[in-house]
Structure formats: structure tokens, C-alpha cells
Amino acid sequence: MAIPGNVKGIPSKYNFVIASAAKQSSKLADSADCGSSRPFGAFHEPSDYSSLRAKRGKLRSPRCRHCETAGRGSRDDGLISLKRVVLRALAAGAVFALAGCAVAPSEPERTAAAVQPVFPAPPAAARFRFERTLYGAKDVLGQAEGAALRKFLHHDHQGTGPGLASPHALAVDHGRVFVSDLAERQIDVFDIPGRRYYRIGAAGPGTLQKPLGLSIDRAAGRLFVADAGANAVLVFDEQGQYQRSIGGPQWFTHLFSVTADPDGERIYAIDGGEGGKGEARVRVFAARDGRHLFDFGERGSGPGEFNTPYDLAVGSGGQLYVTDSGNFRVQTFDHQGKYLRSFGTVGTRPGQFGRPKAIAADAAGEVYVVDALLGNFQVFDARGAFLFAVGGHGEDGGPLSYLLPSGIAIDADGSVYFLDQGYRKIDVFRPLP
């Protein structure tokens, strides 16, 4: 392993810290060889996907199929140790550098300086850059002096305030981020432009039982929440006040998700979501008065049929995109529910799906699909041709590192908000000019 020279931003007299770290990292890399034929640094596929789930913030390290000989650690363990050594050295250097500064940079500046990847990767033209991560209320309200530095140097996300206890899905409207929380039975709202945090549906009229999918009607600012406990869609106004409910137990067997038309005329509710319970269809209602309009889809694997439908997005041309998770595909319908086409097959290659979940569409007609098994979101054109992917499974919970991604939303300015249940965070990606 090459020993780095001077590190930009750190006085030369402290570069021995980095050099020592590199030497120790080299030893760790040599001792961590699992004996597999995979190249050093290659992705090691977990043999037990369930081990990737977080347990109250503690993570079990997945074992590699190529490293399961008795008494031998995986090369990933070596990579983790290598990462820790380098991070400690970089943290020490950062402290030395910051000690000589009269004013420390702000949290967004530090985050941008630490990680500024763009997507897609070269040689394709870059379209997005990573901007920030939301963990809790203090990420929009501001943090006490010293808290941001601790978070930056030690990946310490404690003390970020309330929010994201057990996030499931999200919606966004001009910088206001709405997140359904299964543990707290409420909607957490992070108002980034207004620097506010508040809750919806925690008490009083419209108290939520089991909030799952949610959607914003941008024409009127209404929030629609699929409450699986009530088997009804609850409607809140722009100020978060409860207005009414749509549907009910007589209309749904297992309500899972809801999507509002951009013009605010219709809502599309998925009945029979994860777990294969009850029906497998999309029920369409008038958004203003709750009248039932029509249904489409039924359980099966043929064209227009569903096996665990998960989410729905409305494309720029009015097409309806439904993630058919159990059939490992996305199906496309016209505005009246007529089947048009599908894309995706089971697999781990670009354009394939392991467990497709949430879906969103942007103003240009492109479609964004979250995959919980692959730990990323993939971007397709309007007809399903693969364009690029963002993210992957990781064990540090940092930017672009995901454990169990479940939600995605696109704001009016094209910004992408990507929710991860496992690490209880939202990564934000801004479009490039």
C-alpha cells in the first residue's frame, strides 16, 4: 500500500499521523485476506440478508460467503478495521487543522468538504451531487457549538433531537420533508427553509394508528397518509390540520400506500401490499370528495397483475408506475389503469431488482426505484431503460451507505430525498446546474 505524502489542509508536521495509519492499514489488509479469489476491496455478498437489519442502532456485521471457514475473519472485517484506522488519523489531522482556524466552517460546509460525489459517475455527464443528511430535528434547527464537530469526526449522531425513530416512507414539498414514523405513530416534518420541526397526527382529531405511505398534493398542499391501522387514507391541510378520511375497512383489506395526482384530482391507494395479504390492486378515489372512481390490477404474475404491489408514482405524462415487488418489476399503466408495459427482472445487475420498494418520477419523465436488497436507487427513462444507480450497502451509515432503504421523493426543484430505515436517515441529492 502506498504511503501518502502531504495531506491538503493539514500542516506537514502532522503528516506522520497519516503515514503511520497507512502503514498499519497495510498490515491489516495483508492479515485480513480471506483466501477468496475476489480482488481486494471487492464487494462481498452477505450470506444472510437478515443480518443487515439494525437493532436499535447496533449492527451485526454480515459474513461473506467466501469467508465462512471456521475461525477465520472475513476480508470485510479487515476493511472495516482499515477504515477505522484511517478515519482516526484523518480525525486527528482535522483537529490539528481546525485548531489553527479562527472560525470553524459550518456543518453543511464540512459535510460537502468530506463527501462531494456526483452522479452518474464519469464519463457520463454529472447530474446530481450529495448535499446533506437529515437524522433529527437539530439538522434543521441548528446544533450547539461542538456538536457538529463531534458528529463529523466520530460519526456521532446522538443528540440530533427528535425524529426518525422508525421511518417508513416520505414525501417532500418545497423543502418540507414529511416522514411516516411507525414507532411514534406520527408524521415527522422537517421544514428546511423555515428551520422548523413539528409533528402531524400524534394526537387529537386525525390521530394516526399505523402510518405507512404518504403523498403531497402540490396543487393545494394537502397531505394524504395511508393509515394501515384504520384502513383509511387520512387527509390533512397545508397547516397539518386533520380534514377527513377516505375509504375505510369496507374499502381496503390491507392498505399500504397512497399517491396523489400532481393536479390534486385523484389519489391512488394500493390495497394488499407487503406480505401478500388480501387483495392486490390499486383503488382510485376523487381527492376532493373521496368518491370511488375505479380499480385496476389483481393478484398474479401476468401483465397488469401484482404480487405484493408496494408503491405508485405518477409520471410527467400521466403514466402510472407501480412497483410489483413480488414479481421483481415495475409495471406501467395509462391514466385510466390500462396496462402498457413493464421493465425489470430479478437479479443484481444494473436494471434488475432484488426487492423493489418505493418509486418516484421527476418532471423530465425519469423514474427512480428504491431497492432494499441492493441498497440503492436506480434511475430509468420513461420507458424503463436503465440510466444509472446511486448508493449501495455499507456498514458505517455515512453518505451513500445504506442498510434498508425504503423511501424516495423528488422535490419541485429536482432534489432527491432518499430514506433509509436501517440507519434512520435521509440523504439529500441536489441537481447540478
Side-chain angles (χ1 to χ4, degrees), residues 9 25 35 61 187 241 250 272 279 297 322 325 331 338 385 390 393 398:
S25 300
S61 297
I187 305 300
Q241 300 300 311
Q250 69 274 27
E279 301 290 342
V322 181
S325 189
Q331 298 201 67
K338 178 183 177 182
V390 175
H393 277 301

Side-chain angles (χ1 to χ4, degrees), residues 344-367:
T345 57
V346 62
T348 59
R349 295 182 179 181
Q352 295 182 316
F353 300 120
R355 195 183 181 194
K357 299 186 80 172
I359 191 168
D362 65 17
E366 293 177 349
V367 182

Side-chain angles (χ1 to χ4, degrees), residues 4-25:
N6 292 338
V7 179
K8 184 177 180 181
I10 299 176
S12 59
K13 64 179 179 179
Y14 297 122
N15 276 282
F16 75 90
V17 177
I18 306 300
S20 299
K23 289 179 181 178
Q24 188 172 353
S25 300

Side-chain angles (χ1 to χ4, degrees), residues 89-381:
L90 289 174
V95 171
F96 291 138
L98 289 171
C101 299
V103 179
S106 66
E107 176 68 13
E109 288 173 342
R110 265 194 299 273
T111 302
V115 181
Q116 274 192 320
V118 295
F119 304 96
R127 294 178 42 194
F128 296 94
R129 67 172 176 86
F130 170 81
E131 184 187 69
R132 65 185 299 180
T133 299
L134 299 175
Y135 292 95
K138 286 188 178 179
D139 289 313
V140 295
L141 299 175
Q143 302 184 62
E145 185 176 357
L149 179 61
R150 182 180 69 250
K151 176 179 173 181
F152 172 67
L153 294 179
H154 303 295
H155 287 270
D156 180 7
H157 307 302
Q158 296 180 359
T160 54
L164 302 186
S166 181
H168 177 82
L170 81 166
V172 62
D173 180 33
H174 294 89
R176 291 189 304 154
V177 186
F178 301 78
V179 187
S180 58
D181 193 314
L182 290 171
E184 301 295 336
R185 301 181 181 183
Q186 65 189 22
I187 305 300
D188 297 306
V189 185
F190 301 89
D191 185 350
I192 298 174
R195 298 182 64 82
R196 294 190 304 152
Y197 166 83
Y198 57 97
R199 303 179 178 96
I200 294 174
T207 297
L208 297 167
Q209 300 178 40
K210 188 178 180 181
L212 294 179
L214 67 167
S215 184
I216 294 286
D217 157 23
R218 288 181 181 164
R222 293 171 296 184
L223 173 68
F224 298 86
V225 181
D227 189 338
N231 254 335
V233 176
L234 274 61
V235 186
F236 299 84
D237 66 18
E238 196 170 9
Q239 285 72 44
Q241 300 300 311
Y242 173 73
Q243 292 186 318
R244 64 184 185 279
S245 65
I246 297 174
Q250 69 274 27
W251 289 99
F252 300 110
T253 58
H254 188 67
L255 175 63
F256 196 78
S257 178
V258 63
T259 302
D261 249 347
D263 59 9
E265 294 299 323
R266 292 177 175 178
I267 62 167
Y268 302 87
I270 289 181
D271 188 23
E274 197 170 32
K277 298 179 181 179
E279 301 290 342
R281 60 187 175 183
V282 177
R283 312 210 76 174
V284 186
F285 298 85
R288 300 184 186 279
D289 57 20
R291 287 180 297 110
H292 176 245
L293 301 178
F294 61 92
D295 301 330
F296 65 91
E298 60 182 352
R299 188 167 298 282
S301 58
E305 298 175 341
F306 302 121
N307 179 12
T308 314
Y310 195 97
D311 196 13
L312 182 148
V314 182
S316 60
Q319 312 97 310
L320 309 177
Y321 297 93
V322 181
T323 44
D324 186 9
S325 189
N327 287 322
F328 309 100
R329 65 187 179 184
V330 173
Q331 298 201 67
T332 309
F333 302 82
D334 69 13
H335 194 60
Q336 297 300 320
K338 178 183 177 182
Y339 173 81
L340 298 176
R341 69 187 71 90
S342 67
F343 60 90
T345 57
V346 62
T348 59
R349 295 182 179 181
Q352 295 182 316
F353 300 120
R355 195 183 181 194
K357 299 186 80 172
I359 191 168
D362 65 17
E366 293 177 349
V367 182
Y368 300 64
V369 184
V370 174
D371 196 304
L373 183 63
L374 303 183
N376 66 9
F377 67 86
Q378 300 185 68
V379 184
F380 301 83
D381 70 15

